[in-house]
Amino acid sequence: MNSPHTSERTDVLVVGSGFGGAIAAYHLAAGGAKVTLLERGPWLESQDFEHDFLLGSSYTRIFDFVVGDGMSLLGGNCVGGGSVVYFAAMPRAPRFVFERTGSIGRRMWPSSLTRDTLDPWYDMVSEALPVTTQDWNDVSYAGGLFAAACDHAGRTANPVPTAVDNSKCTNCNWMMAGCRFDAKRSLLLNYLPAARAYGAEIRPLHEVQKLSRTDDGGYRVHYATVDESDYRVHTGSGTIDAKLVVLAAGAGATPTILQRSEADLGTMPHAVGRYFSGNGERLNTAVIDEEKAHDLLGLDRGDNTAYLANQIGKGPVVASWDNLDGNLPEHSRYSLEQLYFPPGFGTILAQVPDAEGPSWFGPRKKELVKQWQSWLTIFTMVEDDNEGVFGPPPPTGNAVRISQQMLGRGSLQYRPSANTQRAWAESDAAVKDILERDGLSRVMPWTNDVVGAYTVHPLASCRIGDDPHTSALDDRHELRGHPGIFVTDGSAVPGALTVNPALTISALAERAMPGIVQAARDRGIDVTYGAPTPDGGTAARAGTRRQLPYLTGN
């Protein structure tokens, strides 16, 4: 045990300020608890977000790109976490997702969780941000092009629900660098300022290293402070004692914190750092033939230009969900979503179609890059097999920092199964069928040769479930064998969702809050549950009331 005299004290310590951390901080602070939130990244606001790729700009400061063995992770590194860099696509997971058996051969999700039981919590988040369904007048040129191509190929397409205020959006397509116009409804605009209004303290540039126990049955959180310019440099360290801890550092960091804590806390559940899912993600970029886009699809921007608009618009606005059919077998269900990535990413990773020899560099690639305004990127989300496993944690943080900002090497090992590879191949074939039909384009799959597979939506590395052998958390998000530690980020999601996961992560975090508040009360914290959404709304609350007795154990 550790002496309590050298640490600060708080009621609840929240690690991470993305969806899982911000939602927890808000509800606990609003309920009367003293809440301290530690965030590894910097605190930037709308006026700080820059439209460039220079070292030290918002783009390099607020991203965390970790290269693993077979899989690379791209996530947020700032106050607001992934919500600052996400594309604000907020679909709900299909009904069949909750019945998946995945790699364990039996239902992955807890028996208490279905689409029906999660829908009221989806409603709550959708009210809080809010989330709206776009119509065809809201979609960008790229979205319209993809929808027209789907129609030409005999498929359907739909506008994607988003957390974007279209009255403020300028179609600048810099969503990945943070929205300087406050059009994207990140957590900087709702849960986090509301948590601060109730007294929650948010500390940026604080990287949590591990947890240990205190003599009074609580937890000591050990952190290092990070230099604001060079993330490889730690400028100090400290500890904070808390009666309850909520971990929400992301699926690439939460397991490393727990692994590093094992020497002090005792054995971790087997599933900590295992069953990682990259949400089955894959990318293809097509080079559109402008004349074909005009002649085949009837597209015209009004100046005899069919497209030439890769850089205009916003993130994903149109998706094809034809394969989100619960009657199909697992690994044949996926979504196809038009997506914008800055050309720099595609310049590196997009492969030359039908190349002989090197496929992602060389003279032919140079010619393709010249056509970047005619590029269209399609994002695929399939059902993977939760193949990822984290090795021993690095000495500090979630990765060994390679560069001053953004880039690190992590311990994740990922070997895609035959099921995952087959799912990728099927979705690749669908993209080619849609976009190469009648010569509309040439499709360039992104290579895995450079950084392995890649995901912007890491999931499941500390997942919820009913089986103690294959889940790190119970269905109320408490770490098995370690009462008073809860996990509410993407690592709690059991597996791939076939759609963007932000709304599901948020809904699960909202659902976990009644039980976390009750656990806090059981630990002597004077806190209540029942705050409205950050803007004061209560319309969605009625649908959750019937679940409260189960979630609180009362």
Side-chain angles (χ1 to χ4, degrees):
M1 293 294 182
N2 299 289
S3 169
H5 301 300
T6 58
S7 287
E8 296 181 63
R9 287 182 174 274
T10 191
D11 289 338
V12 179
L13 193 292
V14 178
V15 183
S17 60
F19 289 104
I23 288 171
Y26 167 67
H27 282 286
L28 289 158
K34 180 182 179 182
V35 176
T36 304
L37 187 154
L38 303 185
E39 164 59 48
R40 176 187 59 192
W43 195 335
L44 277 67
E45 298 180 350
S46 55
Q47 66 271 15
D48 302 316
F49 298 129
E50 297 158 300
H51 289 181
D52 62 51
F53 297 107
L54 300 176
L55 180 64
S57 73
S58 61
Y59 191 82
T60 63
R61 294 180 67 196
I62 64 179
F63 263 112
D64 187 40
F65 185 67
V66 177
V67 179
D69 179 5
M71 171 72 75
S72 294
L73 285 61
L74 186 64
N77 180 63
C78 56
V79 173
S83 78
V84 175
V85 299
Y86 81 145
F87 285 130
M90 298 293 263
R92 303 185 182 201
R95 186 171 298 274
F96 64 78
V97 161
F98 301 93
E99 307 302 324
R100 284 196 64 203
T101 58
S103 60
I104 61 175
R106 55 189 177 279
R107 195 176 191 272
M108 296 161 53
W109 285 72
S111 59
S112 61
L113 264 164
T114 65
R115 170 62 186 267
D116 288 337
T117 60
L118 198 58
D119 262 333
W121 307 99
Y122 278 135
D123 292 343
M124 189 177 294
V125 179
S126 297
E127 180 182 283
L129 294 179
V131 175
T132 56
T133 299
Q134 302 181 108
D135 64 31
W136 290 109
N137 293 318
D138 298 319
V139 306
S140 62
Y141 293 122
L145 173 60
F146 182 54
C150 287
D151 182 67
H152 179 71
R155 289 178 172 256
T156 66
N158 298 89
V160 175
T162 64
V164 174
D165 183 345
N166 284 308
S167 69
K168 295 181 178 179
C169 181
T170 67
N171 287 310
C172 71
N173 240 339
W174 281 88
M175 294 179 81
M176 286 180 72
C179 181
R180 64 184 301 144
F181 307 107
D182 288 343
K184 179 170 65 175
R185 288 160 172 146
S186 76
L187 297 166
L188 297 173
L189 304 178
N190 35 71
Y191 283 98
L192 288 174
R196 291 184 72 200
Y198 281 107
E201 182 184 6
I202 300 172
R203 300 186 189 180
L205 299 171
H206 281 61
E207 182 179 69
V208 170
Q209 306 301 324
K210 68 173 184 175
L211 312 180
S212 60
R213 296 191 191 278
T214 57
D215 293 329
D216 59 3
Y219 293 95
R220 177 162 296 165
V221 179
H222 302 250
Y223 65 84
T225 51
V226 180
D227 183 81
E228 64 179 355
S229 298
D230 190 339
Y231 297 163
R232 297 168 297 186
V233 177
H234 287 168
T235 58
S237 63
T239 59
I240 301 175
D241 290 354
K243 297 175 182 177
L244 184 143
V245 174
V246 178
L247 287 175
T254 290
T256 64
I257 293 171
L258 291 175
Q259 286 175 323
R260 201 178 289 116
S261 304
E262 191 166 31
D264 294 288
L265 297 183
T267 303
M268 287 291 146
H270 175 76
V272 169
R274 291 182 172 86
Y275 303 109
F276 172 91
S277 167
N279 202 34
E281 294 175 359
R282 187 160 173 81
L283 287 155
N284 287 270
T285 295
V287 182
I288 303 297
D289 183 316
E290 294 286 336
E291 291 186 6
K292 294 281 189 179
H294 182 277
D295 296 342
L296 291 174
L297 307 181
L299 298 182
D300 191 325
R301 288 170 49 186
D303 56 1
N304 294 318
T305 300
Y307 177 45
L308 284 177
N310 181 58
Q311 78 281 18
I312 303 172
K314 38 188 175 282
V317 293
V318 170
S320 178
W321 293 319
D322 291 344
N323 277 71
L324 296 186
D325 181 350
N327 295 316
L328 294 171
E330 281 195 50
H331 305 100
S332 291
R333 303 176 297 203
Y334 54 82
S335 60
L336 305 175
E337 190 173 80
Q338 157 271 326
L339 181 67
Y340 174 75
F341 263 113
F345 280 96
T347 298
I348 299 169
L349 298 174
Q351 300 181 78
V352 175
D354 305 318
E356 295 181 3
S359 61
W360 52 276
F361 64 93
R364 289 185 60 196
K365 180 65 174 286
K366 184 176 181 180
E367 291 303 309
L368 286 172
V369 170
K370 291 179 181 178
Q371 303 174 60
W372 67 273
Q373 287 181 295
S374 295
W375 287 13
L376 178 69
T377 300
I378 305 302
F379 186 47
T380 302
M381 290 165 277
V382 309
E383 295 168 302
D384 68 7
D385 264 338
N386 292 79
E387 299 98 322
V389 177
F390 284 81
T396 62
N398 67 313
V400 175
R401 295 288 153 199
I402 296 172
S403 65
Q404 183 175 335
Q405 295 165 9
M406 193 171 176
L407 182 62
R409 177 166 289 282
S411 65
L412 177 65
Q413 300 172 6
Y414 188 87
R415 299 290 181 269
S417 70
N419 286 331
T420 300
Q421 294 185 64
R422 186 177 69 252
W424 282 340
E426 287 185 18
S427 65
D428 283 353
V431 173
K432 286 179 70 70
D433 177 62
I434 295 168
L435 292 177
E436 291 191 348
R437 186 172 292 228
D438 297 323
L440 176 62
S441 75
R442 298 294 302 280
V443 172
M444 307 182 289
W446 281 31
T447 181
N448 287 8
D449 296 340
V450 183
V451 293
Y454 26 80
T455 180
V456 295
H457 299 133
L459 303 171
S461 53
C462 294
R463 63 186 184 177
I464 56 175
D466 290 334
D467 179 5
H469 298 291
T470 58
S471 60
L473 314 172
D474 64 22
D475 69 336
R476 299 176 198 179
H477 292 246
E478 192 166 26
L479 184 67
R480 297 185 186 279
H482 300 275
I485 298 177
F486 291 83
V487 176
T488 57
D489 57 20
S491 62
V493 178
L497 300 175
T498 68
V499 295
N500 315 73
L503 187 60
T504 299
I505 294 169
S506 303
L508 288 172
E510 282 281 8
R511 177 185 174 274
M513 290 318 302
I516 293 176
V517 167
Q518 183 60 52
R521 290 178 61 83
D522 293 343
R523 289 178 159 260
I525 301 172
D526 185 11
V527 60
T528 59
Y529 175 75
T533 58
D535 67 350
T538 58
R541 180 69 65 187
T544 66
R545 289 195 183 111
R546 68 179 64 93
Q547 298 184 35
L548 296 184
Y550 174 78
L551 294 171
T552 60
N554 294 321

